[in-house]
Amino acid sequence: MVGEGSTVRTVTYDLLRSLGMTTVFGNPGSTEEPFLQKFPDDFTYVLGLQEASVIAMADGFAQTTRRPALVNVHSSAGLGNALGNLVAAYRGHTPLIVTSGQQHRELVIGEPYLGNRDATNLPRPWVKWAYEPARAEDVPEAFMRAYAVALQPPSGPVYLSIPLDDWSVPLEGPAVLRSVSTTCAPDIERLRGFAERLSASRRPALVFGPEVDRSGGWHAAVALAEKLRASVYGAPLPDRASFPENHRLYQGPLGMSLKAISDRLTGHDLVTIIGAEVFRYYPYVPGDILPAGTELLHIAADPAMTGAARVGDSLLGDPRLAIELLTDMVKDGARTQPEPMPRPRKLPTKPSSPLTPAEVHATVSTARPPHAVLVYESTSSMAEQVEWLPTIEPDSFFATASGGIGWGVPAAVGVALGDRDRGVRRPVIGLIGDGSFQYSVQAIWTAAQHSLPIVYVVLRNKEYSILKSFAELERTPGVPGLDLPGLDIAAVARGFGCRAVDVETTAALEKEFAVALEAGTTTVIVVPTQPQKAAL
């Protein structure tokens, strides 16, 4: 597109081609149309019906393809809609370039309709960098910088606000193209000291967090754990799984509170956390950060993460690289191998009506084909996920990193699109609570439009069970707004173009799940379930 008559728009599109960013996730508005006009045939536009869904779709796509995704939302109002899931992308270190249109430069001084007041402040602090070019001619270079900042560790979303009249300004190309490093090596001498402490530990514990899987360190984590014969725990509230949860060394999740985590780590003299926070807490249950006599080592690529840790000695560096180097440095474990985690897997003696969450998870476990991806957002049944649907392969478990709901449904769309983009065929399962499903329900329209092989299983317990559990924990009776009557989820799903069914038994669920896998489109299976107290 560069040549005689080239403009800011044509130069920018050529830059995006060179960067491999030819998929645009968006919901267009009038201030974005100058960028989107004459949309190139070699680009793909993924339309989402609400901006929060658009962000989560791009998030899932970027995580799956392992490259930045481009998002285009509408001015300040659209960006405001997007903020909830932008928090998840920031917490999850997902590289996104989020753009929105600004009003015409000649109008901005008068606070026009659709003007984005203090545009670069609106998305903060949930972006790494926010910028509105001072000149139209700076737009391509701003995209190049945005790409570099989004990718460099710790990776994350960035934001550009672009006045609508900038795109037509004449500009000679091409734009300057740069490459950037995505890996920072750890300090070798400090890492060697960590290795010595690990080798000398009598009963070490390893905690592999989401950044291990993101960095491609799954297999390296297994090698380190096996060499040390160390107990391995899942990081609290993980948005990615980084170790096979059926491995003999895996001891289950740590828990979510001060007390739960400290109790779980009792008896370990050294805990090494790689690629996770110290710690990600949810309910407040008083306790110690660490049990008496336990020391902690912390390795992460994000200095904000290591800086926020309240205990322990830290080391900055890429998680995968640090694990690989540690594996070479540590001595073989002569200690006794920990006992495998018991898996009680209790089910009712006869079928329930409505089904229990355990029965639903057990059925999905039976029906789940090899190499399937699980996108999970059923907050009151997270314990059942670990019990019945353990993650056993890298890049196959995705959840929100923010704690807000409404991420999972559109993220599954992004994961499926990412798989299609890289030529990978694998089923995507979205296990979603009925409350969570409502937050971004419009995302299933995009799934249907693209005929994505997603099977959504919606647990319909007619309430926000997780909040009722918190009401008990926090001793706050009488909280309103926790019941969800009157939702016909299957009818809504059919209205958005999906195949949808209601089931009430495990046999029906298994049958419909098998049909969904062969349907060639998106299916929503709604299962009435019994409310249950969440494991807090």
Side-chain angles (χ1 to χ4, degrees):
M1 294 171 71
V2 173
E4 185 176 353
S6 65
T7 63
V8 167
R9 177 184 165 277
T10 60
V11 172
T12 300
Y13 270 106
D14 277 331
L15 174 65
L16 293 172
R17 284 190 184 89
S18 298
L19 296 173
M21 300 186 70
T22 57
T23 299
V24 181
F25 292 84
N27 183 271
S30 56
T31 53
E32 289 71 45
E33 288 179 318
F35 167 61
L36 298 170
Q37 65 176 306
K38 298 179 182 177
F39 196 68
D41 292 338
D42 58 329
F43 277 64
T44 299
Y45 188 84
V46 179
L47 173 62
L49 302 184
Q50 205 265 4
E51 290 88 351
S53 290
V54 167
I55 292 285
M57 289 177 198
D59 190 338
F61 183 86
Q63 290 196 55
T64 306
T65 60
R66 295 184 180 274
R67 66 176 191 265
L70 179 61
V71 184
N72 186 235
V73 298
H74 181 41
S75 190
S76 55
L79 181 60
N81 287 339
L83 277 176
N85 280 330
L86 190 61
V87 176
Y90 182 85
R91 292 285 194 193
H93 293 141
T94 303
L96 302 178
I97 299 178
V98 181
T99 65
S100 70
Q102 174 63 289
Q103 256 286 13
H104 196 290
R105 285 183 182 268
E106 291 188 13
L107 295 178
V108 169
I109 193 170
E111 300 286 351
Y113 192 65
L114 299 182
N116 195 346
R117 179 186 296 179
D118 294 330
T120 59
N121 284 331
L122 179 57
R124 290 189 173 110
W126 305 114
V127 291
K128 291 180 64 181
W129 181 60
Y131 185 66
E132 185 174 278
R135 307 180 306 153
E137 293 83 356
D138 295 334
V139 169
E141 187 172 350
F143 269 88
M144 186 65 249
R145 181 174 173 183
Y147 180 88
V149 174
L151 264 183
Q152 290 178 135
S155 57
V158 298
Y159 171 70
L160 295 176
S161 169
I162 304 167
L164 64 88
D165 52 315
D166 282 7
W167 297 107
S168 60
V169 172
L171 182 67
E172 290 300 315
V176 174
L177 184 67
R178 300 187 290 123
S179 62
V180 296
S181 173
T182 59
T183 304
C184 288
D187 181 320
I188 292 297
E189 288 307 311
R190 187 166 179 80
L191 191 67
R192 187 169 286 114
F194 278 28
E196 290 172 356
R197 292 171 67 178
L198 270 166
S199 298
S201 171
R202 301 184 312 278
R203 191 179 172 220
L206 297 173
V207 180
F208 296 115
E211 300 308 309
V212 173
D213 194 44
R214 283 197 180 87
S215 66
W218 172 287
H219 298 295
V222 173
L224 177 61
E226 291 180 346
K227 188 172 183 180
L228 287 169
R229 293 189 176 185
S231 298
V232 179
Y233 295 92
L237 299 159
D239 44 288
R240 296 277 288 263
S242 295
F243 191 85
E245 293 172 342
N246 63 347
H247 194 282
R248 65 185 184 276
L249 294 174
Y250 184 68
Q251 301 297 303
L254 273 182
M256 298 180 282
S257 68
L258 285 160
K259 185 179 187 307
I261 293 172
S262 183
D263 287 350
R264 289 286 274 148
L265 294 175
T266 297
H268 293 289
D269 59 328
L270 182 66
V271 178
T272 302
I273 301 175
I274 306 178
E277 296 152 86
V278 184
F279 292 96
R280 185 177 279 178
Y281 298 117
Y282 190 8
Y284 176 68
V285 181
D288 297 321
I289 300 174
L290 286 176
T294 302
E295 297 181 346
L296 186 139
L297 305 176
H298 188 202
I299 301 173
D302 185 354
M305 188 182 289
T306 58
R310 297 169 66 187
V311 296
D313 301 320
S314 66
L315 173 65
L316 286 172
D318 178 75
R320 176 190 58 80
L321 183 56
I323 293 170
E324 290 173 347
L325 292 169
L326 269 178
T327 303
D328 290 337
M329 294 175 180
V330 298
K331 297 177 182 177
D332 289 341
R335 59 190 67 84
T336 302
Q337 185 168 289
E339 291 294 322
M341 178 183 70
R343 291 186 179 273
R345 292 195 165 186
K346 293 181 180 179
L347 291 173
T349 55
K350 59 181 180 179
S352 306
S353 181
L355 296 176
T356 65
E359 288 173 296
V360 174
H361 284 71
T363 304
V364 173
S365 177
T366 300
R368 175 174 63 167
H371 314 303
V373 183
L374 180 63
V375 181
Y376 198 84
E377 194 170 285
S378 177
T379 52
S380 64
S381 57
M382 290 184 286
E384 279 73 22
Q385 179 267 309
V386 175
E387 193 66 36
W388 292 100
L389 291 166
T391 305
I392 59 176
E393 294 179 337
D395 300 312
S396 63
F397 176 84
F398 299 87
T400 180
S402 72
I405 59 177
W407 183 90
V409 173
V413 176
V415 170
L417 285 170
D419 278 350
R420 180 176 290 178
D421 180 85
R422 62 197 184 104
V424 172
R425 293 175 61 88
R426 56 180 183 167
V428 177
I429 302 167
L431 202 57
I432 314 290
D434 54 355
S436 291
F437 200 81
Q438 306 313 308
Y439 271 65
S440 301
V441 65
Q442 68 284 122
I444 62 175
W445 177 87
T446 305
Q449 290 295 306
H450 290 267
S451 300
L452 296 176
I454 304 173
V455 183
Y456 290 107
V457 178
V458 183
L459 285 76
R460 178 76 176 107
N461 61 18
K462 300 183 181 181
E463 66 179 30
Y464 291 121
S465 284
I466 187 72
L467 297 182
K468 288 191 175 182
S469 298
F470 263 95
E472 288 187 31
L473 176 70
E474 297 167 344
R475 299 178 182 177
T476 53
V479 175
L482 301 187
D483 293 308
L484 297 172
L487 291 173
D488 190 342
I489 294 172
V492 170
R494 284 190 286 269
F496 278 116
C498 294
R499 177 180 174 273
V501 292
D502 290 289
V503 302
E504 294 186 355
T505 66
T506 55
L509 174 56
E510 188 168 358
K511 176 185 174 182
E512 291 295 344
F513 196 98
V515 172
L517 292 173
E518 303 297 327
T521 188
T522 301
T523 298
V524 177
I525 303 174
V526 184
V527 191
T529 56
Q530 297 178 20
Q532 70 171 22
K533 187 175 180 179
L536 300 176

